[in-house]
Amino acid sequence: GRQAGQALERVRLAGVERTARARAESLQRVTAALARARTTADVGAVFSREATALLGADTAWVGLLTPDGGAVERLGWSG
């Protein structure tokens, strides 16, 4: 009863901790990559690469609306 409940709670907390650690590591990786970015294309590449990793997606595409709003320019893609 009680011991089983405590064991289940420890398992749940371990999962929460793993998720939090993975998110922190991802944020650290993105921050470091963005700090090295020199162009908007570099930023697009970082976001598309990290989006695929974070979401478990096969591909990602990042675009930027042109100043006149008439088109979307590709900044980066991954996958």
Side-chain angles (χ1 to χ4, degrees), residues 27 30-31 33-34 37 40-55 59-63 75-78:
L27 180 58
V30 170
T31 301
L34 288 174
T40 54
D42 292 342
V43 172
V46 169
F47 278 111
S48 62
R49 183 178 60 247
E50 293 303 321
T52 56
L54 287 171
L55 301 174
T59 60
W61 188 90
V62 177
L75 292 183
W77 64 276
S78 180

Side-chain angles (χ1 to χ4, degrees), residues 1-3 6-7 11-12 20-21 23 26 32 34 36 40 42 44 47 50-51 53-54 58 61 68 71 73 79:
R2 183 171 160 219
Q3 288 180 342
Q6 290 173 343
V11 168
R12 185 190 72 78
R21 185 176 347 113
R23 287 180 179 165
S26 177
L34 288 174
R36 292 187 302 272
T40 54
D42 292 342
F47 278 111
E50 293 303 321
L54 287 171
D58 293 327
W61 188 90
D68 67 1
E73 295 177 339

